[in-house]
Amino acid sequence: MRDLTAVKAALRNHRIELPSWAFGNSGTRFKVFGQAGVPRDPYEKASDAAQVHKYTGVAPSMAVHIPWDKVDDYGALAAFAADNGIAIGAVNSNVFQDDDYKLGSVCNPDPRVRKKALAHLLECVDIMDATGSRDLKLWFGDGTNYPGQDDIGLRQDRLGDALAAVYGRLRAGQRMLLEYKLFEPSFYSTDVPDWGTGLVHCLALGPDALVVVDTGHHAPGVNIEFIVAMLLRAGRLGGFDFNSRFYADDDLMVGAADPFQLFRIMHEVVKADALTPDAGVAFMLDQCHNIEPKIPAQIRSVMNVQEATAKALLVDDSALRAAQLDGDVLGANAVLMDAYNTDVRPLLAQLREQMGLAPDPVAAYHASGYGEKIIAGRAGGSPAGWGA
Ligand code: RM4
Ligand code: MN
C-alpha cells in the first residue's frame, strides 16, 4: 500500500484534458439528437469546459478541433479560456470531412488533394503558435475500401512525406501526436491502423513525434496496456484519447464499459512514473455524449479516470514485485486485485475537500444552476456539432 499522502499528491497533480467537441451536439450516422443549451461557438465550449475544471480541479485544458473550432483570433480564444481558468490544449486536425478527401487526405493519389491536406495540417501548427498549445494531434481517416484500390506502400510514402513536412514546421517545445485507428471510415485498409505503423513513422521523424493511444481504436480483445507499456519503454507515448467502447469506436464515457481495463492501463502509467505533467503523457478525453447531458458526463469521465488512477497508485509495488520474483502467480494477481477492489471514492472525496472543492462534483455542478442558465441563455443561434 502506498503512502496515502503521496497518493493524494499524485492525484492532485494529475491533469486531464477535455475535448471541445464533447460539449457540442453529436450522434451516430443515423441521427444527431440535439440538446438544449449546447454551445454555439468555441468560446461557449470553453465556458462549459471551465465548469468541468471548476468542480474537479484537475481538468485545466480543452483540446480544439479545426475547423469545428475555427475563430478569427486564436489568441483571443486562448485569452478567454485563461480568463475562465483553463488553457487551450491540443490542436486536432480534421482532414476527413471534405468532399476532396473521398480517397484520402495526405495519402490521396491526387497531389492537389495531398497539398490541400498538408496546408490544413500546417494551418493547425499556426494555430498552436497563437494559442500556445504544445501538441498537434493528427488522426487520418485515410485508407481504402477494396483490395487493389490503391498501392499500400505508395500511400505510406505519401504519408511519410506529409508528416515530415509538418514535423519540420514545429517549433521548439511543440510536439506531433500521431493517432492510429484500426478501421473506419475505411473498411479494407487503413493507412495508420495500429501503434506499430504510428511508431515507425514517429521514429523516422524524431523525438517530438509520439504515438497517441485512443482506447476505442483497437480490435476487440486487444491488450491495450501492453501497447501502453511498449510505447512507454520506447519513450514514445504522447498521450491518450480516453473513451470506452463495447463494439467499435463507440466514444462512450471512459471507464463506463471496462473500468478494469482503465485500471490496468493506469497501472502501466504509474509504474513508468508517467503520471506527472512533466512526464509528457497527455491524458485527454475523446468522447461524444449523444444521449446524456454533456457537462455532467465530462465531470463523470474525469472522475472515472481519477478512480482508476487512484487504484493504480494504491498497488503495493513491493509486495507485487516480491510475488512476481517468487513465481507466486496467485499472490501477484491478488496484490493487483486488492488495489483494484479498493473503494477509492472516500479518498477522492477527501482529496477534493482538501483542494477546496465539493466532495461530489456532479452534485455540486447540478446545484450550481449553470445547466439551467445555459439552456435559457443559449436559445438563439446554431448549436455546435460535428457536422457529419
Ligand atoms: C477520430 C479520432 C480523433 C478525434 C475525432 C473526433 O476518430 O479519435 O482523435 O479527433 O475522431
Ligand atoms: Mn481519438
Side-chain angles (χ1 to χ4, degrees), residues 61-386:
S61 60
M62 178 185 83
V64 291
H65 213 297
I66 310 298
W68 300 339
D69 294 320
K70 219 172 175 57
V71 290
D72 292 335
D73 182 344
Y74 290 96
L77 179 63
F80 176 84
D83 284 346
N84 282 269
I86 61 168
I88 299 299
V91 175
N92 287 252
S93 61
N94 184 327
V95 283
F96 50 89
Q97 282 188 312
D98 188 295
D99 284 338
D100 271 339
Y101 299 141
K102 186 167 76 171
L103 301 182
S105 64
V106 295
C107 303
N108 197 298
D110 182 347
R112 181 190 64 83
V113 177
R114 295 205 294 275
K115 204 170 148 198
K116 170 173 169 169
L118 176 59
H120 170 71
L121 304 184
L122 295 172
E123 178 201 351
C124 288
V125 186
D126 294 341
I127 294 170
M128 292 163 70
D129 292 342
T131 55
S133 300
R134 178 188 60 178
D135 293 338
L136 172 69
K137 178 142 68 71
L138 305 179
W139 174 74
F140 298 101
D142 288 51
T144 67
N145 270 2
Y146 294 99
Q149 179 190 320
D150 198 1
D151 186 279
I152 289 174
L154 268 181
R155 292 182 73 89
Q156 288 298 313
D157 295 344
R158 298 170 193 147
L159 174 65
D161 289 348
L163 293 177
V166 177
Y167 190 80
R169 162 68 181 82
L170 296 179
R171 297 184 187 202
Q174 294 180 334
R175 317 188 306 173
M176 176 194 284
L177 307 186
L178 181 57
E179 182 172 352
Y180 59 88
K181 175 168 152 173
L182 177 65
F183 82 105
E184 196 198 35
S186 301
F187 295 119
Y188 165 60
S189 70
T190 295
D191 293 311
V192 191
D194 52 28
W195 69 279
T197 308
L199 182 60
V200 165
H201 282 286
C202 288
L203 291 172
L205 292 166
D208 297 319
L210 304 148
V211 180
V212 171
V213 175
D214 183 313
T215 46
H217 287 188
H218 308 85
V222 164
N223 182 334
I224 299 176
E225 61 271 26
F226 183 86
I227 297 171
V228 170
M230 291 299 288
L231 289 172
L232 283 166
R233 275 174 72 81
R236 295 289 178 147
L237 180 64
F240 291 97
D241 265 2
F242 280 136
N243 50 57
S244 42
R245 52 80 66 80
F246 287 96
Y247 296 101
D249 187 18
D250 303 349
D251 283 342
L252 299 174
M253 292 189 297
V254 59
D258 191 348
F260 184 41
Q261 178 189 63
L262 184 60
F263 160 77
R264 300 191 310 262
I265 290 171
M266 293 314 297
H267 174 55
E268 293 304 323
V269 170
V270 166
K271 273 195 301 165
D273 249 329
L275 199 61
T276 56
D278 57 6
V281 177
F283 298 90
M284 301 172 283
L285 305 181
D286 177 10
Q287 303 182 165
C288 291
H289 306 296
N290 301 348
I291 58 167
E292 67 275 31
K294 296 160 197 302
I295 298 172
Q298 285 283 291
I299 295 175
R300 167 62 58 201
S301 304
V302 169
M303 293 168 71
N304 287 353
V305 174
Q306 285 188 298
E307 286 174 21
T309 307
K311 292 177 183 201
L313 286 162
L314 285 174
V315 171
D316 185 338
D317 325 288
S318 45
L320 180 63
R321 180 67 75 240
Q324 289 171 343
L325 294 176
D326 266 2
D328 181 358
V329 175
L330 292 178
N333 180 240
V335 172
L336 213 64
M337 295 313 292
D338 274 348
Y340 177 65
N341 288 318
T342 309
D343 183 358
V344 294
R345 291 172 300 177
L347 173 91
L348 283 161
Q350 203 184 67
L351 170 67
R352 289 186 192 109
E353 279 177 329
Q354 287 167 359
M355 292 168 72
L357 302 170
D360 180 344
V362 175
Y365 168 74
H366 283 310
S368 74
Y370 184 87
E372 292 76 24
K373 201 182 88 189
I374 54 176
I375 288 174
R378 295 177 182 168
S382 38
W386 45 256

